[in-house]
Amino acid sequence: MVNIKTLPNLSLWIFLLSCLSCTYVQQAEQSVTEINIQGEPGNFHGFRMYAFEFKGRQSRIVVPKRAAKGNPWVWRARFFGHRPEVDMELLSRGFYVAYIDVTDLYGSPPAVEIWNEFYNYVTQEYDFAPKVVMEGMSRGGLIVFNWAAENTKKISCIYVDAPVLDFKSWPGGKMSGRGSEEDWQKCLAAYGLSEEEAMKYQYNPVDNIDPILEAKIPLLIVSGDEDNVVPYEENAGLIVKAYEDRKLDVKVIMKEGVGHVHGLDDARPITNFILKHSR
């Protein structure tokens, strides 16, 4: 037992500050261990990962070594684990990373409903932050923007990489991109549309961007200028123009001479954007 009355004033302040620091560290460490993630334990580049099924869908939650205040999280759409640099940096900053596989639903209304339920689950069961960072690659752009259009108040910012934002472009291949006939038929089935109905569909992200614009959600797009799978001009380029017309916060990182390839060798521009809009 230390008798603080015998300490000089300066020593007293140092002693009290050290006690407060220890208490803060203990509470910060407890904020991770108190969240009991239900699932099969695993490893994601040195971070704890839990795999489980939610509504029959393969899901993942990766846990930071020490959670940041408020339990911030990034919601990954498509290609979990591919180009993990951004996720790893955010994990090191105290973010959780969450994923649920709705790949075969192409951002359709059933996919949005599953995401609604997953959002409710992680925010209520694990006390994740009410505002999430959206991260989508390729076809992940469809579910990111379709969910965002219905949940604008639940998003801090959006980062998408070579995103599909009109299913007529991909997988339809009805414009300049090469498309995928197999995926096109699966996409039509997921939406419950005939091809004729799909060509008149008005709720692709490029058509239904107004709710996101009105909410002024910050947007970062990474793309290749030679992408012939998901051409920039008929997908992300249309969204960027809508943002720029309203003078909203949009950042584009265009990779010269690059096709449908994701990520950046130096991920700092992406993580800096996310951290800026998640504070």
Side-chain angles (χ1 to χ4, degrees):
M1 178 73 68
V2 177
N3 184 354
I4 61 174
K5 292 182 180 179
T6 65
L7 295 174
N9 288 340
L10 179 59
S11 299
L12 173 59
W13 279 110
I14 294 173
F15 174 77
L16 291 174
L17 286 172
S18 66
C19 290
L20 287 172
S21 177
C22 290
T23 301
Y24 175 80
V25 170
Q26 290 170 355
Q27 288 175 343
E29 291 173 346
Q30 288 170 356
S31 69
V32 174
T33 58
E34 285 174 359
I35 297 180
N36 183 24
I37 307 292
Q38 301 298 312
E40 184 69 26
N43 183 284
F44 181 82
H45 300 277
F47 295 92
R48 285 182 291 142
M49 180 182 71
Y50 296 90
F52 56 98
E53 281 197 5
F54 182 85
K55 302 297 180 180
R57 299 276 165 176
Q58 290 297 314
S59 305
R60 303 282 188 276
I61 292 177
V62 187
V63 180
K65 290 181 170 59
R66 182 177 297 162
K69 182 180 179 181
N71 293 332
W73 57 299
V74 56
W75 196 347
R76 179 73 176 258
R78 188 64 173 135
F79 298 124
F80 177 79
H82 175 57
R83 294 307 303 248
E85 297 89 348
V86 172
D87 293 343
M88 290 170 63
E89 177 62 20
L90 293 175
L91 283 162
S92 73
R93 300 295 190 107
F95 282 68
Y96 290 82
V97 175
Y99 172 82
I100 179 169
D101 188 1
V102 291
T103 299
D104 60 334
L105 295 179
Y106 303 88
S108 61
V112 171
E113 183 55 36
I114 291 171
W115 267 39
N116 284 337
E117 295 184 50
F118 188 77
Y119 172 88
N120 290 337
Y121 172 70
V122 297
T123 53
Q124 294 171 14
E125 185 74 14
Y126 301 128
D127 198 29
F128 282 10
K131 284 198 172 187
V132 58
V133 174
M134 310 300 299
E135 177 187 14
M137 292 186 176
S138 197
R139 76 176 73 177
L142 288 170
I143 182 59
V144 163
F145 275 81
N146 287 340
W147 189 81
E150 293 188 12
N151 297 275
T152 56
K153 294 183 179 180
K154 300 173 182 176
I155 299 167
S156 59
C157 62
I158 296 173
Y159 153 54
V160 282
D161 198 308
V164 178
L165 300 174
D166 187 341
F167 61 43
K168 298 190 298 296
S169 173
W170 190 95
K174 306 303 180 182
M175 302 178 190
S176 65
R178 65 190 189 203
S180 166
E181 182 59 29
E182 180 181 354
D183 280 295
W184 179 231
Q185 295 306 315
K186 291 179 180 178
C187 179
L188 294 176
Y191 280 82
L193 299 172
S194 66
E195 183 159 326
E196 181 180 0
E197 291 169 333
M199 296 303 293
K200 299 176 181 178
Y201 189 72
Q202 293 297 309
Y203 292 97
N204 273 289
V206 294
D207 307 307
N208 190 35
I209 190 62
D210 280 351
I212 295 173
L213 297 176
E214 290 168 6
K216 300 180 180 179
I217 299 173
L219 171 64
L220 169 63
I221 288 176
V222 176
S223 190
D225 65 354
E226 293 186 6
D227 190 340
N228 63 357
V229 178
V230 184
Y232 175 83
E233 293 76 12
E234 57 200 41
N235 289 277
L238 298 177
I239 300 293
V240 170
K241 184 178 185 305
Y243 263 75
E244 290 177 341
D245 286 347
R246 296 204 189 185
K247 296 179 172 55
L248 298 177
D249 188 350
V250 59
K251 179 179 176 65
V252 179
I253 300 176
M254 186 64 69
K255 299 180 289 186
E256 295 184 4
V258 175
H260 194 63
V261 177
H262 303 296
L264 296 174
D265 292 335
D266 180 358
R268 284 177 295 179
I270 301 172
T271 56
N272 289 343
F273 176 89
I274 291 171
L275 292 169
K276 173 184 175 182
H277 294 290
S278 301
R279 293 191 178 116

